[in-house]
C-alpha cells in the first residue's frame, strides 16, 4: 500500500518568515552546515511518518475535531542539538494553548494507534542541518512574536537536494 510521510505543524506566514530570515542569516554566518530553504521552515507538532490514505483520513478527522485557541508564540531562543545536528530558533516557553493543542492531538492520535515521539514538546524551527554545534553560545535572536492562528498537515517529499514540504490542509484555531 502506498504511503505519504506526514506531519502536523505550525507554518509561518510571510511576515514571520521574513523576520526569521534575519536571524537565519546571522546563524549561517556563524555555523557551517546545510541551510534549510525558507519555504521549509516550520514548527513540528507531531511527526506521523509513513501514513496510508485511510490513516490520513483519521488524522484529518482528528484535526477537524480539535478545539484549541489561537496564541502568540515568542521565538526568543536559539539552540543547537548535537545528535540530530540541527540548529534552530524556538521558544523558551510553551504557551498554554499550544500545550493543549499538542496534547489534544497526541491523545487522539495515540487512541487511534499512531506511534508518536514520546518526548515533550520543544517548539522549534529547524534552520540548519548537518551542523557541528559550537561550544560557544549561538548569536542571541531578537525576540519575535508569531500570532499563530492555524496548524497544518504537511507532507515530506524526499528529493535529491533534500526534503521538500507540501502543506496539504490547514485548520484554523479558535
Ligand atoms: P525537526 O522539527 O526537528 O526539524 C518533517 O520531517 C519534520 O518532522 C521535521 O521538522 C522533523 O524534525 C520532524 N520529525 C520529528 N521526528 C522525525 C522523524 N523520526 N523523522 C523525520 N522527521 C521527524
Amino acid at each position: 500500500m502506498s504511503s505519504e510521510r506526514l506531519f502536523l505543524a505550525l507554518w509561518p506566514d510571510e511576515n514571520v518568515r521574513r523576520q526569521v530570515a534575519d536571524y537565519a542569516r546571522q546563524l549561517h554566518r556563524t555555523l557551517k552546515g546545510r541551510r534549510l530553504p525558507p519555504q521549509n521552515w516550520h514548527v513540528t507538532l507531531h511527526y506521523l511518518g509513513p501514513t496510508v490514505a485511510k490513516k490520513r483520513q483519521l488524522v484529518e478527522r482528528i484535526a477537524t475535531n480539535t478545539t484549541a485557541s489561537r496564541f502568540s508564540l515568542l521565538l526568543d531562543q536559539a539552540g543547537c542539538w548535537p545528535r540530530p545536528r540541527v540548529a534552530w530558533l524556538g521558544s523558551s516557553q510553551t504557551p498554554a494553548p499550544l500545550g493543549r493543542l499538542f496534547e489534544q492531538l497526541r491523545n487522539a492520535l495515540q487512541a487511534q494507534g499512531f506511534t508518536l515521539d514520546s518526548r515533550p514538546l520543544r517548539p522549534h524551527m529547524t534552520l540548519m542541518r548537518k551542523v557541528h554545534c559550537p561550544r560557544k553560545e549561538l548569536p542571541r535572536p531578537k525576540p519575535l512574536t508569531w500570532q499563530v492562528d492555524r496548524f497544518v498537515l504537511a507532507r515530506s517529499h524526499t528529493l535529491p537536494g533534500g526534503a521538500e514540504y507540501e502543506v496539504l490542509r490547514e485548520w484554523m484555531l479558535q
Side-chain angles (χ1 to χ4, degrees):
M1 231 182 312
S2 74
S3 64
E4 310 170 300
R5 224 165 40 252
L6 302 181
F7 58 101
L8 291 161
L10 307 177
W11 216 261
D13 57 29
E14 277 312 308
N15 177 37
V16 170
R17 221 175 279 277
R18 244 192 326 272
Q19 295 180 69
V20 172
D22 289 339
Y23 184 70
R25 269 191 295 274
Q26 272 188 58
L27 202 59
H28 298 154
R29 280 197 292 268
T30 315
L31 296 179
K32 280 206 183 68
R34 192 160 62 74
R35 312 167 174 209
L36 263 67
Q39 68 271 18
N40 272 10
W41 296 344
H42 64 272
V43 172
T44 302
L45 291 170
H46 293 290
Y47 178 74
L48 304 167
T51 308
V52 296
K54 240 193 153 55
K55 284 277 204 175
R56 172 172 162 183
Q57 279 174 17
L58 273 177
V59 175
E60 294 193 33
R61 200 167 322 141
I62 287 167
T64 304
N65 289 335
T66 304
T67 53
S69 329
R70 298 164 182 226
F71 54 89
S72 306
L73 187 63
L74 185 66
L75 298 176
D76 61 347
Q77 196 182 41
C80 195
W81 290 329
R83 271 246 272 177
R85 295 178 61 195
V86 298
W88 49 267
L89 177 63
S91 280
S92 58
Q93 286 184 354
T94 302
L98 171 56
R100 286 195 290 271
L101 172 65
F102 174 80
E103 278 173 27
Q104 269 184 42
L105 290 168
R106 185 189 57 196
N107 295 344
L109 289 163
Q110 285 177 336
Q112 292 295 340
F114 285 87
T115 306
L116 305 175
D117 192 335
S118 57
R119 287 172 294 191
L121 176 64
R122 291 283 310 272
H124 68 278
M125 195 181 274
T126 298
L127 299 179
M128 294 182 73
R129 295 196 187 279
K130 303 201 169 156
V131 166
H132 290 287
C133 293
R135 276 179 203 280
K136 61 177 176 27
E137 275 191 36
L138 296 180
R140 208 175 283 278
K142 190 168 126 220
L144 73 95
T145 305
W146 174 8
Q147 302 295 346
V148 181
D149 65 357
R150 68 195 70 196
F151 66 100
V152 310
L153 176 65
R155 176 175 177 184
S156 168
H157 297 273
T158 307
L159 301 175
E164 199 166 276
Y165 304 128
E166 176 192 5
V167 172
L168 300 171
R169 206 174 149 181
E170 61 179 34
W171 290 269
M172 298 306 291
L173 297 168
Q174 287 153 357

